[in-house]
Amino acid sequence: MEGSLLSGLNSGVVVSLIAVLWTVVWQNLQHLQLQQFFGRHLSRHARRLAAMVDPYLSVTIAEYEGGRMRRSDAFEEVKAYLSAACSRGVRHLRAEGSKDADKLVLSMVDGEEVADEFQGATVWWWAYSKSPPRSDSASALWGGGGAQEERRFYRLFFLERHRELVLDTYLPRVRRQGRAVMVKNRQRKLFTNISTHQWSDGGYMRSAWSHVVFEHPKTFATLAMDPARKKEITDDLDMFKNGKEYYARVGKAWKRGYLLYGPPGTGKSAMIAAMANYLDYDIYDIELTSVHSNTDLRKLFIETTSKSIIVIEDIDCSLDLTGARKKKTKAAAEDDKDKKDAAAAAKAAGGGGGKKDTSSKVTLSGLLNFIDGLWSACGGERIIVFTTNHVDKLDPALIRRGRMDKHIEMSYCGFEAFKFLAKTYLDVDDHELFGGVGELLREVDMTPADVAENLTPKSLEDNPDSCLAALVKALEEAREKKASGGNDGDEPEEEDEEEQ
């Protein structure tokens, strides 16, 4: 009896000890996260088993990177590299225009695959895309769904035993050759920004820019300007284009700002075209009134490429940036308050279905950060150009050195510019009327555009004599108008015209 009791007590003690030990061990095992441990262990064996069944690895190159903030350079380089391979082994191709008007640049359509050989290894490139999320008809109508675009990808497949060869040697070679093809087929482009209200809010934001091929004929050789001033500008452009090491050494972003100012018709737009042709750069023409916020302005800058000129024309007319540091008048402040109150009342009455605010909220501070803030260092080899008819109206902070590094005055036509235009339009180096034209140009102001128009033959009977006589007559009429009290300098505020 006592032995049975003692045996029972010993068994109970053992069970209790086991329970206590299990509780302690189990609590510690929980801290070790057994589920994750066994999951990793099983996953490791699953990968080994998959490698035995499917020995292929893959690398995916997406069209956009950085949270879809900018287009991937690697994607464009792979696309260019494959343009030659595609024509050999792909049944369905996508064609785009090329630098040669008679040729096409080819690429794979979605779902196509092409093989490539490299040092005894065979790899396969596959093109595919993902559609944007579906949106309702209302958002599509207002530019939401309609503005979204598919996201494209290239996926490279290769055997695992070729991993080092593909990753370390083949892919760098693809990028180098792709860049060479891009340079060969490059078409310079003129970009303009779309309204930021048409950008999608869902992760499939469309590109902020649309473009056409840039084929402007204006060059410095045909720009009406004093030869010494033209040389000064071209020398400055050369120093910038070849200054990568210099900018890195002094710790500055590789960019330069140019302010072009002067009366309408003095050739500010023509100067921009000549700069782009001289440097072989693209042009990004920003319409500030279509930019909703400072954040959207940064997105625009990020999507620009190197070797480009970013232009904001007539900046004094684009937004209320000139008086940003001045206090509003009392009447204007009250008017703004009334508008805000009316908008709030309409929203409350309509249950929150008020019209979307489409006004631009770009500020002077946002524009200054766009020019030389931290974001301005994203990328390199960019020129920023502002044009204005009234430089005195701009905030000094906007055009100070370091932001607008070089100020170029586009003035009325002088005698040297006139002689250049006479040579260009009439092919004459000297004429008996040159002296009279020179005296008149010193007395009255006439833009190069107006001088060029008077020198342009209007009929088959026109010749240098008649065209120069027409110019003298126009200058004399301008002088008489000025003498009688008319102000020939008051011209309508309109977009800057180019010399013809």
Side-chain angles (χ1 to χ4, degrees), residues 357-375:
D357 182 13
T358 59
S359 61
S360 176
K361 295 181 176 59
V362 174
T363 64
L364 177 62
S365 174
L367 189 59
L368 298 181
N369 288 329
F370 166 82
I371 301 169
D372 67 351
L374 293 175
W375 290 93

Side-chain angles (χ1 to χ4, degrees), residues 135-149:
S135 56
D136 55 34
S137 57
S139 62
L141 178 63
W142 292 103
Q148 295 175 351
E149 295 177 341

Side-chain angles (χ1 to χ4, degrees), residues 310-360:
I310 301 169
V311 178
I312 301 179
E313 292 198 89
D314 298 315
I315 191 169
D316 54 305
C317 303
S318 297
L319 291 174
D320 184 18
L321 301 172
T322 56
R325 301 188 178 190
K326 298 178 182 178
K327 293 183 178 180
K328 291 183 177 180
T329 62
K330 182 178 180 181
E334 292 178 353
D335 184 58
D336 287 348
K337 184 177 182 301
D338 292 341
K339 289 181 180 179
K340 291 179 181 178
D341 292 343
K347 183 176 181 180
K355 186 177 179 181
K356 186 176 181 180
D357 182 13
T358 59
S359 61
S360 176

Side-chain angles (χ1 to χ4, degrees), residues 63-302:
E63 182 181 12
Y64 281 83
E65 61 187 16
R68 295 188 177 91
M69 293 188 72
R70 69 186 304 271
R71 196 176 297 271
S72 168
D73 292 335
F75 180 89
E76 295 298 329
E77 290 159 0
V78 169
K79 178 182 175 182
Y81 172 81
L82 293 176
S83 63
C86 288
S87 59
R88 298 193 303 266
V90 175
R91 292 173 56 85
H92 305 288
L93 300 168
R94 177 188 288 113
E96 301 175 11
S98 70
K99 189 173 184 179
D100 188 336
D102 297 327
K103 294 183 179 180
L104 295 171
V105 176
L106 303 175
S107 59
M108 293 186 289
V109 299
D110 293 343
E112 286 289 343
E113 185 178 84
V114 63
D116 194 18
E117 300 283 342
F118 179 70
Q119 294 186 7
T122 302
V123 299
W124 294 265
W125 289 97
W126 178 48
Y128 69 101
S129 63
K130 289 183 179 180
S131 300
R134 296 183 62 183
S135 56
D136 55 34
S137 57
S139 62
L141 178 63
W142 292 103
Q148 295 175 351
E149 295 177 341
E150 293 183 335
R151 287 296 177 258
R152 297 178 294 167
F153 303 85
Y154 287 114
R155 180 165 288 175
L156 173 67
F157 294 93
F158 54 93
L159 291 171
E160 186 172 10
R161 67 173 181 265
H162 297 145
R163 174 194 289 264
E164 292 185 2
L165 176 65
V166 170
L167 298 183
D168 299 338
T169 307
Y170 175 71
L171 283 176
R173 171 179 171 270
V174 166
R175 296 197 65 177
R176 288 193 301 270
Q177 293 192 5
R179 286 193 293 269
V181 173
M182 290 171 66
V183 171
K184 179 181 177 182
N185 295 330
R186 179 173 178 256
Q187 283 184 302
R188 289 191 299 118
K189 298 172 181 178
L190 172 61
F191 293 85
T192 185
N193 57 302
I194 64 173
S195 174
T196 56
H197 299 290
Q198 296 180 12
W199 297 1
S200 170
D201 294 328
Y204 284 79
M205 183 185 72
R206 68 174 295 181
S207 173
W209 298 96
S210 59
H211 70 268
V212 296
V213 176
F214 180 68
E215 297 178 327
H216 201 289
K218 182 60 67 177
T219 65
F220 278 106
T222 60
L223 186 67
M225 179 181 284
D226 184 273
R229 293 191 63 213
K230 281 199 285 189
K231 186 177 186 308
E232 175 189 341
I233 295 169
T234 55
D235 287 348
D236 190 84
L237 294 172
D238 288 333
M239 288 295 294
F240 170 78
K241 187 173 184 178
N242 302 316
K244 181 177 181 179
E245 295 181 358
Y246 168 78
Y247 279 88
R249 179 168 59 84
V250 300
K252 292 176 61 177
W254 192 10
K255 63 177 183 62
R256 188 160 176 80
Y258 287 79
L259 175 67
L260 308 182
Y261 64 97
T266 51
K268 295 184 285 293
S269 297
M271 171 63 77
I272 295 170
M275 292 169 66
N277 284 326
Y278 184 78
L279 295 169
D280 196 29
Y281 282 7
D282 295 325
I283 294 180
Y284 288 85
D285 185 15
I286 297 181
E287 175 53 59
L288 280 181
T289 56
S290 297
V291 183
H292 183 62
S293 66
N294 294 333
T295 300
D296 292 335
L297 188 61
R298 287 195 295 269
K299 291 178 182 178
L300 283 173
F301 185 85
I302 291 170

Side-chain angles (χ1 to χ4, degrees), residues 16-75:
S16 299
L17 287 173
I18 291 174
V20 171
L21 289 173
W22 175 252
T23 301
V24 173
V25 171
W26 176 251
Q27 289 176 348
N28 283 278
L29 288 176
Q30 282 184 319
H31 289 298
L32 294 176
Q33 299 180 340
L34 284 179
Q35 183 178 1
Q36 289 82 352
F37 173 77
F38 287 116
R40 290 195 301 271
H41 189 70
L42 293 174
S43 177
R44 188 180 304 115
H45 286 287
R47 288 197 300 271
R48 290 176 180 174
L49 179 61
M52 295 173 61
V53 178
D54 180 11
Y56 291 95
L57 304 180
S58 69
V59 174
T60 301
I61 300 176
E63 182 181 12
Y64 281 83
E65 61 187 16
R68 295 188 177 91
M69 293 188 72
R70 69 186 304 271
R71 196 176 297 271
S72 168
D73 292 335
F75 180 89

